[in-house]
Amino acid sequence: MNEMTLAYWNEYRKENGSHPPIDVEAFQFGDDANALAALVVSGKKTATCSAHVLYEMENELLPYVGQYAIVLDATERPVAIIQTTDVTIQPMNEVSEEFALAEGEGTYADWWDIHERFFSELLGSYQLSFSPSMKLVCERFIVVDRFNVKE
């Protein structure tokens, strides 16, 4: 986590008491970090998904309800702090249209095309193949703070 992001998190924690945990993840969404970060800040993106198999391969903990994260743009500048409100694991071909639309990237068909391409490329880098029934970790979140925006 860079200095600016750490300072942002520490300021958020200071302003919101000791409730938020000390540990927080900072990350960029997908393969167009700026566009996806803008969707988060605008409130159009309130969900995301990731390949379950990668959590298993990397022995990484799954996201959990109440977890905080800092969303970064393509230059690794913080844009917002989000908090996870729901986590489910389901096959990609069973993801609802409502969830896909909550990802903020267009129609259900747009969501499918974007994610099939993204997961095909990502899994290919691990010598794995995309499958329409691959398990996804589907998260919903709320924006709890926007960087440099005080309401």
Side-chain angles (χ1 to χ4, degrees), residues 2 5 7 9 16 25 30-32 38 41-42 60 79 93 97-98 103 105-106 113 120 128 135 142:
N2 66 38
T5 304
W9 176 245
N16 292 279
E25 181 181 15
D31 58 359
D32 190 350
V41 171
S42 74
E60 190 176 325
V79 299
N93 57 7
E97 180 176 5
E98 189 270 332
E103 287 216 40
E105 299 175 70
D113 292 344
S120 292
L128 298 172
K135 288 185 182 177
I142 57 171

Short mmCIF file of all heavy atoms in Angstrom, two decimals, residues 2 5 7 9 16 25 30-32 38 41-42 60 79 93 97-98 103 105-106 113 120 128 135 142:
data_model
loop_
_atom_site.label_atom_id
_atom_site.label_comp_id
_atom_site.label_asym_id
_atom_site.label_seq_id
_atom_site.Cartn_x
_atom_site.Cartn_y
_atom_site.Cartn_z
N ASN A 2 0.65 2.16 -0.92
CA ASN A 2 1.49 3.35 -1.00
C ASN A 2 1.16 4.33 0.12
O ASN A 2 0.16 4.21 0.83
CB ASN A 2 1.42 3.99 -2.39
CG ASN A 2 0.05 4.55 -2.72
OD1 ASN A 2 -0.65 5.11 -1.87
ND2 ASN A 2 -0.35 4.40 -3.96
N THR A 5 -2.31 6.13 0.03
CA THR A 5 -3.41 5.23 0.37
C THR A 5 -3.44 4.95 1.86
O THR A 5 -4.50 4.96 2.49
CB THR A 5 -3.30 3.93 -0.45
OG1 THR A 5 -3.26 4.26 -1.84
CG2 THR A 5 -4.45 2.99 -0.18
N ALA A 7 -2.26 6.89 4.22
CA ALA A 7 -2.69 8.12 4.89
C ALA A 7 -4.21 8.28 4.80
O ALA A 7 -4.87 8.69 5.77
CB ALA A 7 -1.98 9.33 4.29
N TRP A 9 -6.46 5.86 4.49
CA TRP A 9 -7.07 4.88 5.39
C TRP A 9 -6.96 5.33 6.85
O TRP A 9 -7.94 5.26 7.60
CB TRP A 9 -6.42 3.51 5.19
CG TRP A 9 -6.93 2.48 6.15
CD1 TRP A 9 -6.22 1.84 7.12
CD2 TRP A 9 -8.27 1.96 6.25
NE1 TRP A 9 -7.03 0.96 7.81
CE2 TRP A 9 -8.29 1.03 7.29
CE3 TRP A 9 -9.44 2.22 5.55
CZ2 TRP A 9 -9.44 0.34 7.65
CZ3 TRP A 9 -10.60 1.54 5.91
CH2 TRP A 9 -10.59 0.61 6.95
N ASN A 16 -13.69 7.99 11.91
CA ASN A 16 -14.79 7.05 12.15
C ASN A 16 -14.56 6.19 13.38
O ASN A 16 -15.12 5.10 13.50
CB ASN A 16 -15.01 6.18 10.91
CG ASN A 16 -15.55 7.01 9.77
OD1 ASN A 16 -16.73 7.30 9.70
ND2 ASN A 16 -14.65 7.45 8.89
N GLU A 25 -7.34 -4.05 2.66
CA GLU A 25 -6.79 -4.37 1.35
C GLU A 25 -6.98 -3.16 0.43
O GLU A 25 -7.97 -2.46 0.53
CB GLU A 25 -7.54 -5.58 0.79
CG GLU A 25 -7.07 -6.04 -0.55
CD GLU A 25 -7.88 -7.22 -1.07
OE1 GLU A 25 -8.97 -7.51 -0.54
OE2 GLU A 25 -7.41 -7.84 -2.02
N GLY A 30 -10.49 -5.12 -12.04
CA GLY A 30 -10.44 -5.57 -13.43
C GLY A 30 -9.31 -5.05 -14.28
O GLY A 30 -8.25 -4.70 -13.79
N ASP A 31 -9.57 -5.01 -15.58
CA ASP A 31 -8.52 -4.62 -16.53
C ASP A 31 -8.69 -3.18 -17.04
O ASP A 31 -7.96 -2.75 -17.92
CB ASP A 31 -8.42 -5.61 -17.68
CG ASP A 31 -9.72 -5.75 -18.46
OD1 ASP A 31 -10.71 -5.09 -18.10
OD2 ASP A 31 -9.75 -6.54 -19.42
N ASP A 32 -9.64 -2.42 -16.48
CA ASP A 32 -9.79 -1.00 -16.78
C ASP A 32 -10.04 -0.28 -15.46
O ASP A 32 -11.15 0.15 -15.15
CB ASP A 32 -10.93 -0.77 -17.77
CG ASP A 32 -10.96 0.65 -18.30
OD1 ASP A 32 -10.21 1.52 -17.77
OD2 ASP A 32 -11.73 0.92 -19.24
N ALA A 38 -14.26 4.77 -11.42
CA ALA A 38 -15.25 5.84 -11.62
C ALA A 38 -16.67 5.32 -11.39
O ALA A 38 -17.52 6.03 -10.83
CB ALA A 38 -15.11 6.44 -13.01
N VAL A 41 -17.18 5.13 -7.60
CA VAL A 41 -17.36 6.46 -7.01
C VAL A 41 -18.74 7.02 -7.34
O VAL A 41 -19.39 7.64 -6.49
CB VAL A 41 -16.24 7.42 -7.49
CG1 VAL A 41 -16.53 8.85 -7.08
CG2 VAL A 41 -14.90 6.96 -6.92
N SER A 42 -19.22 6.78 -8.55
CA SER A 42 -20.53 7.30 -8.97
C SER A 42 -21.69 6.54 -8.34
O SER A 42 -22.83 6.99 -8.40
CB SER A 42 -20.66 7.24 -10.50
OG SER A 42 -20.85 5.90 -10.92
N GLU A 60 -5.74 -17.99 -0.44
CA GLU A 60 -6.17 -16.67 0.00
C GLU A 60 -7.54 -16.77 0.67
O GLU A 60 -8.40 -17.53 0.23
CB GLU A 60 -6.25 -15.74 -1.22
CG GLU A 60 -6.46 -14.30 -0.88
CD GLU A 60 -6.43 -13.41 -2.11
OE1 GLU A 60 -5.66 -13.71 -3.05
OE2 GLU A 60 -7.20 -12.44 -2.14
N VAL A 79 -9.43 6.05 -4.56
CA VAL A 79 -10.62 6.79 -5.00
C VAL A 79 -11.78 6.63 -4.02
O VAL A 79 -12.63 7.50 -3.94
CB VAL A 79 -11.07 6.38 -6.43
CG1 VAL A 79 -9.99 6.69 -7.44
CG2 VAL A 79 -11.49 4.94 -6.50
N ASN A 93 -22.59 -19.18 -14.87
CA ASN A 93 -23.81 -19.26 -15.68
C ASN A 93 -25.09 -19.24 -14.84
O ASN A 93 -26.18 -19.34 -15.39
CB ASN A 93 -23.78 -20.46 -16.63
CG ASN A 93 -23.58 -21.78 -15.90
OD1 ASN A 93 -23.59 -21.85 -14.68
ND2 ASN A 93 -23.38 -22.83 -16.67
N GLU A 97 -29.16 -11.67 -13.60
CA GLU A 97 -29.06 -10.43 -14.35
C GLU A 97 -28.96 -9.25 -13.39
O GLU A 97 -28.20 -8.31 -13.63
CB GLU A 97 -30.26 -10.27 -15.28
CG GLU A 97 -30.20 -8.99 -16.09
CD GLU A 97 -31.33 -8.84 -17.09
OE1 GLU A 97 -32.25 -9.69 -17.12
OE2 GLU A 97 -31.29 -7.87 -17.86
N GLU A 98 -29.70 -9.30 -12.31
CA GLU A 98 -29.68 -8.22 -11.33
C GLU A 98 -28.27 -8.02 -10.76
O GLU A 98 -27.79 -6.89 -10.63
CB GLU A 98 -30.70 -8.52 -10.21
CG GLU A 98 -30.92 -7.38 -9.25
CD GLU A 98 -29.97 -7.43 -8.07
OE1 GLU A 98 -29.53 -8.52 -7.69
OE2 GLU A 98 -29.66 -6.35 -7.54
N GLU A 103 -22.89 -4.71 -11.29
CA GLU A 103 -21.47 -4.49 -11.57
C GLU A 103 -21.26 -3.23 -12.40
O GLU A 103 -20.14 -2.76 -12.55
CB GLU A 103 -20.86 -5.71 -12.26
CG GLU A 103 -20.68 -6.87 -11.30
CD GLU A 103 -19.44 -7.67 -11.56
OE1 GLU A 103 -18.38 -7.08 -11.87
OE2 GLU A 103 -19.52 -8.90 -11.46
N GLU A 105 -21.49 -2.38 -15.64
CA GLU A 105 -20.77 -2.36 -16.90
C GLU A 105 -21.66 -2.55 -18.13
O GLU A 105 -21.17 -2.93 -19.19
CB GLU A 105 -19.67 -3.42 -16.89
CG GLU A 105 -18.65 -3.18 -15.79
CD GLU A 105 -17.63 -4.28 -15.69
OE1 GLU A 105 -16.80 -4.38 -16.60
OE2 GLU A 105 -17.68 -5.03 -14.70
N GLY A 106 -22.96 -2.28 -17.98
CA GLY A 106 -23.86 -2.40 -19.12
C GLY A 106 -24.89 -3.49 -18.92
O GLY A 106 -25.28 -3.80 -17.79
N ASP A 113 -19.88 -11.00 -21.75
CA ASP A 113 -18.76 -10.89 -22.70
C ASP A 113 -17.49 -10.37 -22.02
O ASP A 113 -16.40 -10.92 -22.23
CB ASP A 113 -19.13 -9.98 -23.87
CG ASP A 113 -20.21 -10.56 -24.77
OD1 ASP A 113 -20.47 -11.79 -24.70
OD2 ASP A 113 -20.81 -9.78 -25.54
N SER A 120 -11.03 -15.70 -19.15
CA SER A 120 -10.27 -16.54 -20.09
C SER A 120 -8.80 -16.13 -20.08
O SER A 120 -7.91 -16.99 -20.00
CB SER A 120 -10.84 -16.42 -21.50
OG SER A 120 -12.12 -17.00 -21.57
N LEU A 128 -5.03 -22.50 -16.89
CA LEU A 128 -6.38 -23.00 -16.63
C LEU A 128 -7.29 -22.52 -17.75
O LEU A 128 -7.02 -21.51 -18.40
CB LEU A 128 -6.90 -22.50 -15.29
CG LEU A 128 -6.12 -22.92 -14.04
CD1 LEU A 128 -6.64 -22.19 -12.82
CD2 LEU A 128 -6.20 -24.42 -13.85
N LYS A 135 -16.89 -21.47 -10.81
CA LYS A 135 -17.42 -20.83 -9.61
C LYS A 135 -16.83 -19.42 -9.48
O LYS A 135 -15.64 -19.21 -9.65
CB LYS A 135 -17.08 -21.64 -8.37
CG LYS A 135 -17.89 -22.91 -8.25
CD LYS A 135 -17.60 -23.60 -6.96
CE LYS A 135 -18.38 -24.89 -6.86
NZ LYS A 135 -18.05 -25.62 -5.63
N ILE A 142 -20.87 -1.44 -0.44
CA ILE A 142 -21.31 -0.05 -0.40
C ILE A 142 -20.06 0.82 -0.33
O ILE A 142 -19.02 0.41 0.17
CB ILE A 142 -22.24 0.25 0.80
CG1 ILE A 142 -21.55 -0.11 2.12
CG2 ILE A 142 -23.56 -0.47 0.65
CD1 ILE A 142 -22.29 0.35 3.36
#
